Amino acid sequence: MSTISSTEVARVAELARLALTDDEVERIARELDVIADAVARVSEVATPDVPATSHPIPLRNVVRPDVVGETLDRDEVLAQAPASEDGGFLVPQILGEE
């Protein structure tokens, strides 16, 4: 059963100012029907006794420990910059503020 018509696709394309050929409208309507059917099938099996999940496999945050390491010398870095002032990089003003 078709849930998304070519007329609806053409209307949305027009609202989005997309120039689609008739063949593209028909193809997109068919593709959207496949997606709508898949969502409907999932909705059929999503019952209250099935827990909602965002991912099929449990995830855990894998991060490395925060270890302080050697840093660059500020004066050495600033010496390579096109311009610096008061221990920081001097960049062009972009917002028109003082």
Side-chain angles (χ1 to χ4, degrees), residues 17-91:
R17 292 182 169 55
L18 297 174
L20 299 177
T21 65
D22 290 340
D23 289 341
E24 290 172 322
V25 169
E26 291 296 325
R27 181 179 52 82
I28 291 170
R30 286 192 307 271
E31 290 174 358
L32 288 173
D33 262 344
V34 170
I35 294 169
D37 289 343
V39 170
R41 271 185 273 152
V42 169
S43 297
E44 289 173 4
V45 296
T47 60
D49 58 325
V50 176
T53 59
S54 62
H55 200 276
I57 300 170
L59 299 177
R60 62 184 177 94
N61 192 1
V62 182
V63 294
R64 63 175 174 75
D66 191 11
V67 178
V68 177
E70 194 173 322
T71 61
L72 298 172
D73 179 61
R74 181 178 65 177
D75 293 331
E76 186 180 335
V77 172
L78 289 175
Q80 298 177 41
S84 64
E85 184 178 283
D86 297 328
F89 294 106
L90 186 62
V91 297

